[in-house]
Amino acid sequence: MTYHPKSEFIRVMMERGFLADCTDYQGLDEALNMGGVPGYIGFDATAKSLHVGSLIQIMTLRWLQKTGHKPITLMGGGTTKVGDPSFRADERPLLTPDQIDDNIAGIKQVFAKYIAYEDGPMPSSSEAVGRDNVALMLNNAEWLDSLNYLDFLRDIGRHFSVNRMLSFESVKSRLDREQSLSFLEFNYMILQAYDFMELNRRYGCLVQFGGSDQWGNIVNGIDLTRRVIDHEVYGLTTPLLTTSDGKKMGKTADGAIWLNADMRSPYEFWQFWRNTTDADVGRFLKLYTELPVDECDRLGALAGSEINEAKIRLANEVTTLCHGAEAAAAAEATAREVFEKGGIGDDLPTLTLSPDEVAGGISIVQLIVRSGLAKSGKDAKRLIAENGARLDDAPLTDAGTMIDAAALASPIKLSAGKKRHALVQLES
């Protein structure tokens, strides 16, 4: 793309690799150049934490605020009751209102680390935040829960063409595979469009951000806002990231890389970034840190053993943003202790057992599963059979090994491969 932006925000988006597409580059750029533009991203509350796959969206809002604009974080208290069908093979499980509220409480914790809200603490590097760009945290249940169905159909539903809705790739791909799409899910894009219009009407929100899979939903919102209240709004999408080896960002063999410390420890989070593939280092530095672009390029171009220092820099920068500088330093110290000295680090994920649990001995297979190094007993046995498991750095060859209280007189270290470790200790 040859467009040369005037606004700092669009320039950052382009230089750092955030930009997939925009509904009107020039119109949005000119609006941003005037300053103080409100923009939003919606986050449905399908789990108690967001994972690394959402971090590109969080960083988008952070850069929006750092360049003088107003981020709106929209919690999907209403839309989570429906479930976004975009590019899914099946319907999301329906959650109760209490589950949704619990999930929202968990998700909110992470945003305060990245974005400055009214009455909230100032995250790092947010010294430029003032009255015009302090962030809003909203919940779409505020307007969706009270909708009257018949009024909504007459006032909003009439602006949507079913023919056009069926042509969107997110719906079309589901139908082409002959997978069921419920009427409940089919309504999701209408509700998301309504959100955009309502945010524009209430807060002057001018732009919606989202992954490129949200393009159709965003365009619907732009059309609805123009048709119903005759306001011009914009959409900007970010790329759907995969790692260089084709894996979905934020998912690993042992599950999602959650952003909340109680669901994925800062050490494990740090390790995820430290284990980045060489080819992804430069790109991830631009997207997930605030290091200057030239420095990201320099670090990403390192080769041989030097690239490992770039990965440590990446892990430290990302972990500092998400969990704080102390957590990043502790994770690095633990990693160096474990990998360079072969010792036991203080910050490893730890399984603590009561004396009753080990009174008759506990199987090594169970310990591997409970410490999070394998998803199931079958996976743990396969790990042992393939010589991938170690006990205190010695190969584990017998899946029938039992561990008793005497063996836990001091903590033991379990390892799955070279990079994943956990401690098992007895309750004091």
Side-chain angles (χ1 to χ4, degrees), residues 3 32 36 46 73 84 90 103 176 189 192 269 299 302 321 327 342 347 358:
Y3 183 76
L32 288 161
T46 54
T73 311
D84 185 359
D90 51 11
N103 289 349
D176 286 348
M189 66 177 76
Q192 186 172 327
F269 183 83
L299 289 167
L302 295 175
L321 281 174
D347 200 33
V358 294

Side-chain angles (χ1 to χ4, degrees), residues 46-54 248-265 268-269 272-273 372 375 420:
T46 54
K48 288 183 182 293
S49 171
L50 299 174
H51 60 65
V52 162
S54 297
K248 192 173 181 180
M249 190 63 188
K251 297 292 181 74
T252 65
D254 64 330
I257 305 299
W258 302 105
L259 301 181
N260 286 21
D262 59 346
M263 292 182 66
R264 179 69 76 161
S265 75
E268 293 174 294
F269 183 83
F272 170 78
W273 298 100
K375 285 185 175 179
R420 293 172 52 232

Side-chain angles (χ1 to χ4, degrees), residues 154-173:
R154 286 170 60 89
D155 298 339
I156 304 301
R158 65 191 179 89
H159 295 291
F160 288 83
S161 159
V162 170
N163 308 57
R164 186 158 181 256
M165 291 165 75
L166 289 171
S167 73
F168 285 123
E169 190 57 37
S170 57
V171 173
K172 193 167 174 289
S173 60

Side-chain angles (χ1 to χ4, degrees), residues 240-296:
L240 287 182
L241 280 191
T242 56
T243 55
S244 58
D245 53 2
K247 292 177 183 171
K248 192 173 181 180
M249 190 63 188
K251 297 292 181 74
T252 65
D254 64 330
I257 305 299
W258 302 105
L259 301 181
N260 286 21
D262 59 346
M263 292 182 66
R264 179 69 76 161
S265 75
Y267 172 78
E268 293 174 294
F269 183 83
W270 188 94
Q271 275 297 328
F272 170 78
W273 298 100
R274 168 61 183 84
N275 294 334
T276 295
T277 307
D278 292 4
D280 290 326
V281 173
R283 182 169 59 128
F284 287 0
L285 281 164
K286 289 178 190 174
L287 290 169
Y288 300 116
T289 82
E290 293 173 342
L291 293 177
V293 171
D294 290 349
E295 178 68 355
C296 296

